[in-house]
Amino acid sequence: HHSEGRASARGHKRSKAMAMRSTLAMGRSMMPVRPPTVTRLQDSRLLSAATDMAATRPSLAGERRCAETEEGSKQCRRLRQSGWVPGIIYGAGQRDELVKVNTKELMRQIRARPVSFENCVFDLVMGDQTHKVVPRQAQLHPVTDEVLSVNFLRFSEGTAVSIPFRYVNEEASSALKRGSYVLQVTNYLKVAAMDEDIPAELEVDLTGVEPKDVIRLSRVNVPSNVKVLDTDPNFVIGTVVGVRVSGKGRGRA
């Protein structure tokens, strides 16, 4: 009798387990299956990219300036002596605001990005408010390089920035390898930034250039997130000059 009872108990447990597995399998089969949605995936990627940008965006500490006690040449001189650089936030259809930023933080950011400081988007943190801005009109002392003032343009889609050029593939030009060089006419290209991932520099491809060649916009690698504002077909970046290689030997271009 005892053995029959144990066998019956084991059979009951097996039946219960099988019923549970059957119920789980039925539940899984009845669960609605959502087909992958491209739009949702794209939205997720855009949100992720925006979050990554915000996480890596450099920041500056600032405070509002008092118009009565912190505006004017003497007052601004006192601000600089106490470790602040005066400036203004403007643009985006909003009223101008007097601000001051921490000198040490500002100098650290300028040293970190000497070429792209004025085409980089910053978080300007002022108390409980954060402004997304691009630095403008940074004025330096002619002798000491001390920052005398800096303004900030509120960033939005289509904000105009000037991006410097950088030459690439110089080794792919026999003329440049033999001593020719680019006499630069224009240092920057004015573009509209469609998002805050603004390139620090624009690459100019010098592959195959020859003496007397004119370097135009067609040689600039322009990313899709910026729109060129200067569409003049005669826009010149530079001209190749210097040593010329000919079949009879070397000459001057």
Coordinates of all heavy atoms in Angstrom, one line a residue, residues 127-170:
G127 N 23.3 78.2 -12.5 CA 22.4 77.9 -11.5 C 21.5 76.7 -11.9 O 22.1 75.6 -12.3
D128 N 20.2 76.8 -11.9 CA 19.3 75.7 -12.3 C 19.0 75.7 -13.8 O 18.1 74.9 -14.2 CB 18.0 75.8 -11.4 CG 17.3 77.1 -11.6 OD1 17.9 78.0 -12.2 OD2 16.1 77.2 -11.2
Q129 N 19.6 76.6 -14.5 CA 19.4 76.7 -16.0 C 20.6 76.3 -16.8 O 21.7 76.6 -16.4 CB 18.9 78.1 -16.4 CG 17.5 78.4 -15.9 CD 17.0 79.7 -16.5 OE1 17.8 80.5 -17.0 NE2 15.7 79.9 -16.6
T130 N 20.4 75.6 -17.9 CA 21.5 75.2 -18.8 C 21.2 75.7 -20.2 O 20.1 75.4 -20.7 CB 21.7 73.7 -18.8 OG1 22.0 73.3 -17.5 CG2 22.8 73.3 -19.7
H131 N 22.1 76.5 -20.8 CA 21.9 77.0 -22.1 C 22.8 76.3 -23.1 O 24.0 76.1 -22.8 CB 22.2 78.5 -22.2 CG 21.3 79.3 -21.3 ND1 20.1 79.9 -21.7 CD2 21.5 79.7 -20.0 CE1 19.6 80.6 -20.7 NE2 20.4 80.5 -19.6
K132 N 22.3 75.8 -24.2 CA 23.1 75.2 -25.2 C 23.6 76.3 -26.2 O 22.8 76.9 -26.9 CB 22.2 74.1 -26.0 CG 23.1 73.2 -26.9 CD 22.3 72.0 -27.2 CE 21.1 72.2 -28.1 NZ 20.5 71.0 -28.6
V133 N 24.9 76.5 -26.2 CA 25.4 77.7 -26.8 C 26.7 77.4 -27.6 O 27.3 76.3 -27.4 CB 25.8 78.8 -25.8 CG1 24.6 79.3 -25.0 CG2 26.9 78.3 -24.8
V134 N 27.0 78.3 -28.5 CA 28.3 78.3 -29.3 C 29.0 79.6 -29.0 O 28.5 80.7 -29.1 CB 28.0 78.2 -30.8 CG1 29.3 78.2 -31.6 CG2 27.2 77.0 -31.1
P135 N 30.3 79.5 -28.6 CA 31.1 80.7 -28.2 C 31.2 81.6 -29.5 O 31.4 81.1 -30.6 CB 32.4 80.2 -27.8 CG 32.2 78.8 -27.4 CD 31.1 78.3 -28.3
R136 N 31.3 82.9 -29.2 CA 31.4 83.9 -30.3 C 32.3 85.0 -29.8 O 32.3 85.4 -28.6 CB 30.1 84.4 -30.8 CG 29.3 83.5 -31.6 CD 29.9 83.4 -33.0 NE 29.1 82.6 -33.9 CZ 29.2 81.3 -34.1 NH1 30.1 80.7 -33.4 NH2 28.5 80.7 -35.0
Q137 N 33.1 85.7 -30.7 CA 33.8 86.9 -30.5 C 34.7 86.8 -29.2 O 34.6 87.7 -28.4 CB 32.9 88.1 -30.4 CG 32.0 88.4 -31.6 CD 30.6 87.9 -31.5 OE1 30.1 87.8 -30.4 NE2 30.0 87.6 -32.6
A138 N 35.4 85.7 -29.1 CA 36.3 85.7 -27.9 C 37.5 86.6 -28.2 O 38.2 86.5 -29.1 CB 36.9 84.2 -27.8
Q139 N 37.6 87.6 -27.3 CA 38.7 88.6 -27.4 C 39.8 88.3 -26.5 O 39.6 88.2 -25.3 CB 38.1 90.0 -27.2 CG 37.1 90.4 -28.2 CD 36.6 91.9 -27.9 OE1 37.1 92.6 -27.1 NE2 35.6 92.3 -28.8
L140 N 41.0 88.3 -27.0 CA 42.2 88.0 -26.2 C 43.1 89.2 -26.1 O 43.2 90.0 -27.0 CB 43.0 86.8 -26.8 CG 42.3 85.5 -27.1 CD1 43.2 84.5 -27.6 CD2 41.6 85.0 -25.8
H141 N 43.8 89.3 -25.0 CA 44.8 90.4 -24.8 C 45.9 90.2 -25.8 O 46.4 89.0 -26.0 CB 45.3 90.4 -23.4 CG 46.1 91.6 -23.1 ND1 47.4 91.8 -23.5 CD2 45.8 92.8 -22.4 CE1 47.9 92.9 -23.0 NE2 46.9 93.5 -22.4
P142 N 46.4 91.2 -26.6 CA 47.4 91.0 -27.6 C 48.7 90.5 -27.1 O 49.5 90.0 -27.8 CB 47.5 92.4 -28.3 CG 47.0 93.3 -27.2 CD 45.9 92.6 -26.5
V143 N 49.0 90.8 -25.8 CA 50.3 90.4 -25.3 C 50.2 89.1 -24.4 O 51.0 88.2 -24.6 CB 50.9 91.6 -24.5 CG1 52.3 91.1 -23.9 CG2 51.1 92.8 -25.4
T144 N 49.3 89.2 -23.5 CA 49.2 88.1 -22.5 C 48.3 86.9 -22.9 O 48.3 85.9 -22.2 CB 48.7 88.7 -21.1 OG1 47.3 89.1 -21.3 CG2 49.6 89.8 -20.7
D145 N 47.5 87.1 -23.9 CA 46.5 86.1 -24.3 C 45.4 85.9 -23.3 O 44.7 84.9 -23.3 CB 47.2 84.8 -24.7 CG 47.8 84.7 -26.1 OD1 47.4 85.7 -26.9 OD2 48.5 83.8 -26.4
E146 N 45.3 86.8 -22.3 CA 44.2 86.7 -21.4 C 42.9 87.0 -22.1 O 42.8 87.8 -23.0 CB 44.4 87.8 -20.3 CG 43.2 87.9 -19.3 CD 43.3 89.2 -18.5 OE1 44.2 90.1 -18.8 OE2 42.5 89.3 -17.6
V147 N 41.9 86.2 -21.8 CA 40.6 86.3 -22.4 C 39.9 87.5 -21.8 O 39.6 87.6 -20.6 CB 39.7 85.1 -22.2 CG1 38.4 85.3 -22.9 CG2 40.4 83.8 -22.7
L148 N 39.6 88.5 -22.6 CA 39.0 89.8 -22.1 C 37.5 89.7 -22.1 O 36.8 90.2 -21.2 CB 39.4 91.0 -23.0 CG 40.9 91.2 -23.1 CD1 41.2 92.4 -24.0 CD2 41.5 91.5 -21.7
S149 N 36.9 89.0 -23.0 CA 35.4 88.8 -23.1 C 35.1 87.7 -24.1 O 35.9 87.4 -25.0 CB 34.7 90.1 -23.5 OG 35.1 90.5 -24.8
V150 N 33.9 87.2 -23.9 CA 33.4 86.1 -24.8 C 31.9 86.2 -24.8 O 31.3 86.3 -23.7 CB 34.0 84.7 -24.5 CG1 33.5 84.3 -23.1 CG2 33.6 83.7 -25.5
N151 N 31.3 86.1 -26.0 CA 29.9 86.0 -26.1 C 29.4 84.6 -26.5 O 30.2 83.8 -26.9 CB 29.4 87.0 -27.1 CG 29.6 88.5 -26.7 OD1 29.7 88.8 -25.5 ND2 29.8 89.3 -27.7
F152 N 28.1 84.4 -26.3 CA 27.6 83.0 -26.6 C 26.3 83.1 -27.4 O 25.4 83.8 -27.0 CB 27.3 82.3 -25.2 CG 28.6 82.1 -24.4 CD1 28.9 83.0 -23.4 CD2 29.4 81.0 -24.7 CE1 30.0 82.8 -22.6 CE2 30.5 80.8 -23.9 CZ 30.8 81.7 -22.9
L153 N 26.3 82.4 -28.5 CA 25.1 82.4 -29.4 C 24.3 81.1 -29.0 O 24.8 80.0 -29.0 CB 25.5 82.3 -30.8 CG 24.4 82.1 -31.9 CD1 23.5 83.3 -31.9 CD2 25.1 81.9 -33.2
R154 N 23.0 81.3 -28.7 CA 22.2 80.2 -28.4 C 22.1 79.3 -29.6 O 21.8 79.7 -30.7 CB 20.8 80.6 -28.0 CG 20.7 81.4 -26.7 CD 19.3 81.8 -26.3 NE 19.2 82.6 -25.1 CZ 19.3 83.9 -25.1 NH1 19.3 84.6 -26.2 NH2 19.2 84.5 -23.9
F155 N 22.4 78.0 -29.4 CA 22.4 77.1 -30.6 C 21.0 76.5 -30.9 O 20.2 76.1 -30.0 CB 23.3 75.9 -30.3 CG 23.4 74.9 -31.4 CD1 24.3 75.1 -32.5 CD2 22.6 73.8 -31.4 CE1 24.3 74.2 -33.6 CE2 22.7 72.9 -32.5 CZ 23.5 73.1 -33.5
S156 N 20.7 76.5 -32.2 CA 19.5 75.8 -32.7 C 19.8 75.3 -34.1 O 20.9 75.6 -34.7 CB 18.3 76.8 -32.8 OG 18.7 77.9 -33.6
E157 N 19.0 74.4 -34.6 CA 19.2 73.9 -36.0 C 19.3 75.0 -37.0 O 18.5 75.9 -37.1 CB 18.0 73.0 -36.3 CG 18.2 72.3 -37.7 CD 17.0 71.4 -38.0 OE1 16.4 70.8 -37.1 OE2 16.7 71.3 -39.2
G158 N 20.4 74.9 -37.8 CA 20.7 76.0 -38.8 C 21.6 77.1 -38.3 O 21.8 78.0 -39.1
T159 N 22.1 77.0 -37.1 CA 23.0 78.0 -36.6 C 24.2 78.1 -37.5 O 24.8 77.1 -37.9 CB 23.5 77.7 -35.2 OG1 22.3 77.8 -34.3 CG2 24.5 78.7 -34.7
A160 N 24.6 79.3 -37.9 CA 25.8 79.5 -38.8 C 27.1 79.4 -38.0 O 27.2 80.1 -37.0 CB 25.6 80.8 -39.5
V161 N 28.0 78.7 -38.5 CA 29.3 78.6 -37.9 C 30.4 78.6 -39.0 O 30.1 78.3 -40.2 CB 29.5 77.3 -37.1 CG1 28.6 77.3 -35.8 CG2 29.3 76.0 -37.9
S162 N 31.6 79.0 -38.7 CA 32.7 79.0 -39.6 C 33.7 77.9 -39.2 O 34.3 77.9 -38.1 CB 33.4 80.3 -39.6 OG 32.5 81.3 -40.1
I163 N 33.9 76.9 -40.1 CA 34.7 75.7 -39.8 C 36.0 75.8 -40.6 O 36.0 76.1 -41.8 CB 34.0 74.4 -40.2 CG1 32.6 74.4 -39.5 CG2 34.8 73.2 -39.8 CD1 31.8 73.2 -39.8
P164 N 37.2 75.7 -39.9 CA 38.5 75.8 -40.6 C 38.7 74.6 -41.5 O 38.2 73.5 -41.3 CB 39.5 75.9 -39.5 CG 38.8 75.2 -38.3 CD 37.3 75.5 -38.5
F165 N 39.6 74.8 -42.5 CA 40.0 73.7 -43.4 C 41.2 72.9 -42.9 O 42.1 73.5 -42.1 CB 40.4 74.3 -44.8 CG 39.2 74.9 -45.5 CD1 39.2 76.3 -45.8 CD2 38.1 74.2 -45.9 CE1 38.2 76.9 -46.5 CE2 37.1 74.7 -46.5 CZ 37.1 76.1 -46.8
R166 N 41.3 71.7 -43.3 CA 42.5 70.9 -43.0 C 42.8 70.1 -44.2 O 42.0 69.4 -44.8 CB 42.3 69.9 -41.8 CG 43.5 69.1 -41.5 CD 43.3 68.4 -40.1 NE 42.3 67.4 -40.2 CZ 42.5 66.1 -40.6 NH1 43.7 65.7 -41.0 NH2 41.4 65.3 -40.6
Y167 N 44.1 70.2 -44.7 CA 44.5 69.5 -45.9 C 44.8 68.0 -45.7 O 45.5 67.7 -44.7 CB 45.6 70.2 -46.6 CG 45.3 71.6 -47.0 CD1 46.1 72.6 -46.6 CD2 44.3 71.8 -47.9 CE1 45.8 73.9 -47.0 CE2 44.0 73.1 -48.3 CZ 44.8 74.2 -47.8 OH 44.5 75.5 -48.2
V168 N 44.3 67.1 -46.5 CA 44.6 65.7 -46.4 C 45.1 65.2 -47.8 O 44.9 65.8 -48.8 CB 43.4 64.9 -45.9 CG1 42.9 65.3 -44.6 CG2 42.2 65.0 -46.9
N169 N 45.7 64.0 -47.7 CA 46.2 63.3 -48.9 C 47.3 64.1 -49.7 O 47.3 64.0 -50.9 CB 45.1 62.9 -49.8 CG 44.1 61.9 -49.2 OD1 44.5 61.1 -48.4 ND2 42.8 62.0 -49.5
E170 N 48.1 64.9 -49.0 CA 49.1 65.6 -49.6 C 50.2 64.7 -50.3 O 50.8 65.0 -51.3 CB 49.8 66.5 -48.6 CG 48.9 67.6 -48.1 CD 49.5 68.4 -46.9 OE1 49.5 67.8 -45.8 OE2 49.9 69.5 -47.1

